[in-house]
Amino acid sequence: MKNKILPISIALWVGISSLFGQIKVPQPSPLGTISQTVGLTKVEVEYSRPSAKGRKIFGGLVPYGEMWRTGANASTKVTFSDEVMVNYVNLPKGTYALYTIPGEKEWTVIFYKNTSFWGVPDAKSFKEEDVAARFKVPVKTTADKVETFTINIGNLTNSSADLELLWENTRIVIPIQVDTDSKVMADIKSTMAGPKANDYYAAARYYYEENKDMAQALEWVDKNLEMAGEKFWVLRLKANILARLGRYQEAIAVANRSTELAKAEGNTDYPRMNEESIAEWKKKL
């Protein structure tokens, strides 16, 4: 009888073990990802996100003066699709482990070529030749406490952004600069040999946004209108360029035409933007 009970007990234990093996529970430091285009460069971040859970973080859980993986679990990884500058230090395109050495008043930031480590490399494994960039940044404080370690990419422009590290009441900002202008200017130069209507529009919009030669921008936007016909968003751009040239009466007329076409297509945003601009331009007549 005992011999019959034993196999049944084993089978029951195996079944229960298998059941527990299928249960999924939340990770204490879940994986987070960010993907952001800065100008024409794609920036991606992969990191694990620990939470404070009532603990003192910097100077406690994360000691001052020691290298930190800048997150939890595997080292945080940052990928750049093109060459960039981080805090004005050149960094070739590629994927890097992001290590930091926290301090009370400033942090050391390290972009490391070897991304294979679980956490930080020990003293024997760390190689100075694998350091792609190293610099110091000041510590900033936040009024509101951040419970879960967070990495953001903010303050976007056509040529820059800030990589932000936030936890507890600490905020670290790593400036990123990308070479958008030379790429766009090269594209404009090569494309202008045989441009299409959309190329003229793109070139004109870029010149307007970067406040370059407005006379040239106006010529290009007129080329687009000549080739592709009137579009309310193109007319909106032309009105803005005319206004920047100080030709407010013409800008108002073009903006009114933009509004007319937008309303005919059921668009409500452009009429509102045009109305606000026209009110501003009328004050300057």
Side-chain angles (χ1 to χ4, degrees):
M1 182 67 177
K2 290 182 180 178
N3 290 339
K4 291 182 179 180
I5 293 175
L6 185 58
I8 294 174
S9 300
I10 293 173
L12 181 61
W13 180 82
V14 171
I16 293 173
S17 298
S18 176
L19 177 62
F20 277 110
Q22 294 174 9
I23 295 175
K24 294 182 179 181
V25 296
Q27 295 297 312
S29 300
L31 184 68
T33 57
I34 307 172
S35 181
Q36 178 64 59
T37 299
V38 182
L40 298 175
T41 301
K42 189 174 184 179
V43 181
E44 297 178 296
V45 182
E46 181 181 291
Y47 70 117
S48 292
R49 306 184 61 194
S51 294
K53 300 178 181 178
R55 300 171 293 185
K56 176 175 174 56
I57 301 304
F58 299 112
L61 178 66
V62 180
Y64 290 134
E66 295 183 14
M67 189 179 295
W68 180 40
R69 69 187 73 187
T70 320
N73 303 325
S75 56
T76 291
K77 298 173 182 62
V78 184
T79 301
F80 303 101
S81 66
D82 294 298
E83 181 180 357
V84 300
M85 296 182 73
V86 286
N87 200 43
Y88 304 100
V89 177
N90 284 317
L91 196 63
K93 70 177 183 179
T95 300
Y96 300 91
L98 176 62
Y99 296 132
T100 50
I101 303 175
E104 293 187 61
K105 295 184 178 180
E106 64 180 10
W107 283 26
T108 298
V109 177
I110 299 170
F111 284 85
Y112 198 69
K113 297 176 186 178
N114 189 337
T115 63
S116 65
F117 291 100
W118 183 267
V120 298
D122 58 31
K124 292 182 179 179
S125 302
F126 187 86
K127 297 180 180 179
E128 195 62 36
E129 58 265 31
D130 282 337
V131 174
R134 185 202 301 262
F135 51 86
K136 295 181 184 294
V137 292
V139 171
K140 301 177 185 291
T141 58
T142 60
D144 296 326
K145 184 177 180 180
V146 178
E147 169 65 17
T148 302
F149 178 57
T150 300
I151 298 180
N152 287 330
I153 301 175
N155 292 331
L156 293 167
T157 72
N158 284 341
S159 58
S160 66
D162 287 338
L163 185 66
E164 300 175 316
L165 314 180
L166 300 136
W167 203 9
E168 205 172 36
N169 294 99
T170 295
R171 176 173 174 260
I172 299 300
V173 177
I174 303 172
I176 300 172
Q177 299 85 30
V178 297
D179 184 14
T180 302
D181 189 72
S182 66
K183 294 177 183 177
V184 174
M185 294 302 292
D187 283 346
I188 290 174
K189 183 177 180 180
S190 63
T191 303
M192 286 305 107
K196 299 178 181 178
N198 285 341
D199 295 323
Y200 280 118
Y201 173 76
R205 181 171 62 83
Y206 182 76
Y207 262 46
Y208 173 75
E209 290 177 351
E210 295 299 311
N211 200 21
K212 291 181 178 289
D213 185 345
M214 288 301 104
Q216 180 64 80
L218 181 61
E219 180 181 331
W220 283 336
V221 80
D222 280 337
K223 283 284 189 182
N224 173 278
L225 292 167
E226 178 185 335
M227 295 172 70
E230 290 184 329
K231 302 291 188 299
F232 62 84
W233 61 90
V234 180
L235 290 171
R236 165 74 182 169
L237 175 60
K238 179 176 180 177
N240 282 330
I241 294 171
L242 286 167
R244 190 163 288 176
L245 287 167
R247 295 160 60 174
Y248 298 111
Q249 196 68 55
E250 294 174 73
I252 291 170
V254 173
N256 281 327
R257 177 58 178 161
S258 170
T259 294
E260 179 184 342
L261 294 178
K263 287 181 177 179
E265 295 190 29
N267 181 281
T268 58
D269 292 332
Y270 275 75
R272 174 182 51 79
M273 291 188 293
N274 287 330
E275 183 178 343
E276 292 173 357
S277 296
I278 289 170
E280 180 183 342
W281 297 335
K282 283 182 176 179
K283 296 176 183 178
K284 299 179 180 181
L285 290 176

